[in-house]
Amino acid sequence: MRVILASSNKGKIQEIQKLLGVEVVPYKDILGELEIVEDGESFKENAIIKAKAIYERLPDEIVIADDSGISVPALGGEPGIYSARYAGVGASDKENLQKLISKLKEKGLERTPAYYTAAIAIASGSGIYTTHGWMWGEVIDEARGDKGFGYDPMFIPEGYDKTLGELDEDVKKRISHRAKALELAKVVLEKIK
Ligand code: ITT
């Protein structure tokens, strides 16, 4: 079985290829880069928008999409579904991370609870399914380490004292929002393949 991944985020593509245990082909390899407008109001809605956009073009395939982000309750849930464009449309991972660090500093928060959410949507001839996963921890007002991607250098998972930028990649593989959502997605894939 192969699945087409409706994502152009390199960090996600690498993680999903390692976690899913089936052949994962980024949609760009088949269709080239497409602009998909993510105007949903939740991670789930945006994951469905992305999966459908690619499935409409590749109706014989199983398509999966990941919509994810980090939420900080002390900042009213920011950046949440806007994680990829927190510092503006087209902002880099570094710029988004720096913006979150600045927001924490503005509020005088050296560390504060935060959580990652991942919504996975699976579109195929069997219809659309979605799964979710979460990872709780804290964000700190500085970046440490260079592993992972996105906000990982400022995120300390619950039960650890180092950031995901510093911890061995195997840790994230075991406990991440994406790993949990994909465990459930695997159950769906088994049913529909
Ligand atoms: P695609 O839509 O092409 O998949 P994207 O980067 O635009 O790529 P999202 O809209 O889902 O994807 O935004 C997710 C953002 O949330 C991403 O850019 C990261 O900044 C952050 N993020 C999500 N999961 C993360 C993780 O595991 N580690 C660090 N940051 C993460």
Side-chain angles (χ1 to χ4, degrees):
M1 180 184 28
R2 76 168 188 177
V3 301
I4 310 301
L5 180 56
S7 172
S8 37
N9 178 312
K10 288 197 187 108
K12 281 189 196 177
I13 294 171
Q14 271 183 6
E15 287 189 10
I16 294 171
Q17 283 174 330
K18 284 187 190 153
L19 287 164
L20 204 54
V22 300
E23 188 190 353
V24 175
V25 182
Y27 80 88
K28 270 206 279 188
D29 293 1
I30 305 175
L31 297 171
E33 181 95 64
L34 293 172
E35 203 195 318
I36 304 171
V37 180
E38 297 177 36
D39 55 2
E41 287 179 5
S42 64
F43 292 110
K44 177 178 163 179
E45 282 182 19
N46 282 333
I48 291 173
I49 288 168
K50 291 187 266 193
K52 273 174 127 175
I54 302 304
Y55 178 66
E56 278 164 11
R57 291 167 171 90
L58 300 171
D60 297 327
E61 303 281 358
I62 296 175
V63 177
I64 77 164
D66 165 311
D67 199 72
S68 44
I70 193 163
S71 304
V72 180
L75 299 177
E78 283 187 22
I81 62 168
Y82 304 107
S83 294
R85 47 195 145 123
Y86 196 35
V89 175
S92 67
D93 275 12
K94 260 209 175 112
E95 289 166 336
N96 288 326
L97 172 137
Q98 283 307 332
K99 165 128 189 205
L100 187 51
I101 287 177
S102 310
K103 285 272 182 176
L104 295 182
K105 285 190 187 293
E106 268 172 34
K107 291 232 166 201
L109 297 164
E110 275 178 27
R111 52 197 293 162
T112 185
Y115 59 95
Y116 277 113
T117 304
I120 300 286
I122 302 159
S124 74
S126 304
I128 296 185
Y129 292 82
T130 56
T131 68
H132 284 81
W134 288 269
M135 170 169 53
W136 274 89
E138 288 184 314
V139 281
I140 55 171
D141 67 350
E142 60 173 333
R144 294 191 205 147
D146 54 11
K147 297 200 179 73
F149 67 97
Y151 299 90
D152 287 342
M154 64 182 298
F155 184 84
I156 299 178
E158 211 166 61
Y160 293 84
D161 57 6
K162 289 188 171 144
T163 70
L164 284 177
E166 298 169 304
L167 288 164
D168 195 274
E169 281 168 18
D170 279 352
V171 174
K172 186 173 181 192
K173 227 173 137 182
R174 267 188 287 114
I175 64 169
S176 81
H177 49 313
R178 186 161 294 107
K180 290 172 191 156
L182 286 173
E183 273 310 301
L184 298 174
K186 281 183 198 173
V187 178
V188 175
L189 290 174
E190 268 305 305
K191 290 267 180 209
I192 67 175
K193 76 180 180 197

